[in-house]
Amino acid sequence: MRVLKKDCLDLPEKLYQFAPFDLTDEQLKMIKQIKDEGVAELKDLSGNNRAVILEYVISRLMKIQQVSRGYYYDTENNNVIEIVPFEKNPAIKKLKELLAGIEGKVIIWTWFKQDVKLVTKALPPDSYLVYDGSIDQETKRENKKLFQHGKDHKYMIINPKSGATGLTLTAAEHNIYFTDSYDLELRLQGEDRTHRIGTVNNVNYINLVANKTNDKKIINAHRKKKTISDIVLNDPASMFLMEE
């Protein structure tokens, strides 16, 4: 027997929106270079198995994500290269603009370690808590308690791998995705941290979207996967009626 959450719980709506922003010329130039190099190198990988090719493609897409947030990881030297100064970082400017218009508590989802550093630098001191793999379990429990029940911390910065499951954070009605993951299940589980028993008002999910990048494609891919999974689970026969 399968029971959907919407059928047994009377919960408010989930509201989704994009928050687009433009990149600098330097960022756009670097992204074009990553794409051009990727296309050329894929030709050399054409004889490899599908898993090898997929891993390469995802690594390139993730690098584009990083560049759109103002940096990238130099894997050869194991350090972070800043492309745009923090004060001029378009993603940070957009984040600050969004936060300035939001009252109440906010969860900020970040995928990369460097994202956490950028976001914390953009927030007022002592206004945020962090929930990711860099902190121990006891601190995680304390941060969860402080955010859910305390009044001093308006923001919680979460990595989906650490905080997509097992948390109740209904104190927040707003979720901002500074960077999103490619994992649909992590995204859906993360959304439900604030949309569950105890949620009173509509919950907002805002994705930062860098124009001329793959940001919107990630979200559209999530939606497509979700649509297909819903069809398979709820009405399998209609799969044969779907247009290609």
Side-chain angles (χ1 to χ4, degrees), residues 1 24 30-31 76 107 135 145 148 160 176 194 205 238:
M1 184 177 70
T24 66
M30 185 166 290
I31 287 173
E76 292 184 4
I107 293 177
I135 59 178
K145 180 179 178 181
Q148 181 69 0
I176 295 178
T194 52
Y205 303 91
S238 65

Side-chain angles (χ1 to χ4, degrees), residues 19-23 28 31 68 209-216:
F21 61 94
D22 294 322
L23 300 178
L28 291 173
I31 287 173
S68 70
V209 174
N211 294 324
K212 300 182 181 180
T213 70
N214 56 305
D215 281 350
K216 191 171 287 189

Side-chain angles (χ1 to χ4, degrees), residues 56-233:
Y56 175 79
V57 170
I58 290 177
S59 69
R60 284 279 160 174
L61 292 175
M62 290 174 70
K63 188 171 183 180
I64 289 174
Q65 269 189 298
Q66 294 166 7
V67 171
S68 70
R69 293 333 185 243
Y71 69 92
Y72 70 91
Y73 285 110
D74 180 358
T75 53
E76 292 184 4
N77 299 301
N78 195 31
N79 63 351
V80 175
I81 305 298
E82 184 183 74
I83 304 169
V84 184
F86 179 82
E87 295 75 15
K88 298 181 179 180
N89 189 320
I92 294 298
K93 287 183 178 180
K94 191 64 183 181
L95 176 64
K96 287 184 174 181
E97 177 187 319
L98 288 171
L99 294 178
I102 294 176
E103 295 183 4
K105 295 190 175 184
V106 184
I107 293 177
I108 304 173
W109 296 90
T110 60
W111 187 242
F112 304 104
K113 292 180 180 179
Q114 184 64 17
D115 296 337
V116 177
K117 295 179 180 179
L118 288 173
V119 172
T120 55
K121 189 175 180 180
L123 301 177
D126 302 321
S127 69
Y128 62 85
L129 298 161
V130 176
Y131 197 103
D132 66 4
S134 68
I135 59 178
D136 58 62
Q137 291 300 319
E138 181 59 34
T139 303
K140 285 181 179 178
R141 284 192 290 270
E142 182 64 19
N143 286 355
K144 170 191 169 183
K145 180 179 178 181
L146 287 171
F147 184 78
Q148 181 69 0
H149 302 291
K151 297 182 180 179
D152 297 329
H153 302 93
K154 183 177 179 179
Y155 310 107
M156 174 79 94
I157 305 165
I158 304 180
N159 179 286
K161 284 187 176 181
S162 298
T165 60
L167 290 176
T168 296
L169 298 172
T170 51
E173 298 172 5
H174 305 277
N175 295 261
I176 295 178
Y177 291 82
F178 187 77
T179 39
D180 207 352
S181 80
Y182 290 89
D183 190 321
L184 173 62
E185 187 61 26
L186 281 180
R187 170 67 190 236
L188 295 177
Q189 289 290 334
E191 287 185 9
D192 285 347
R193 296 315 95 211
T194 52
H195 192 258
R196 55 199 300 108
I197 295 174
T199 301
V200 177
N201 300 315
N202 293 338
V203 183
N204 300 300
Y205 303 91
I206 307 171
N207 270 85
L208 265 68
V209 174
N211 294 324
K212 300 182 181 180
T213 70
N214 56 305
D215 281 350
K216 191 171 287 189
K217 290 182 180 179
I218 295 174
I219 304 165
N220 289 336
H222 283 163
R223 289 177 176 174
K224 186 175 181 180
K225 289 178 184 177
K226 183 68 168 61
T227 299
I228 292 174
S229 69
D230 288 345
I231 290 172
V232 170
L233 291 171

Side-chain angles (χ1 to χ4, degrees), residues 9-53:
L9 295 177
D10 184 17
L11 293 177
E13 290 186 52
K14 288 182 174 183
L15 305 176
Y16 299 90
Q17 69 182 85
F18 293 139
F21 61 94
D22 294 322
L23 300 178
T24 66
D25 291 340
E26 180 65 24
Q27 287 172 295
L28 291 173
K29 180 180 178 181
M30 185 166 290
I31 287 173
K32 183 179 185 303
Q33 181 181 337
I34 293 170
K35 290 180 178 178
D36 292 344
E37 290 176 353
V39 171
E41 291 178 16
L42 274 176
K43 294 179 180 179
D44 296 332
L45 292 172
S46 59
N48 289 274
N49 62 48
R50 184 181 178 87
V52 172
I53 295 174

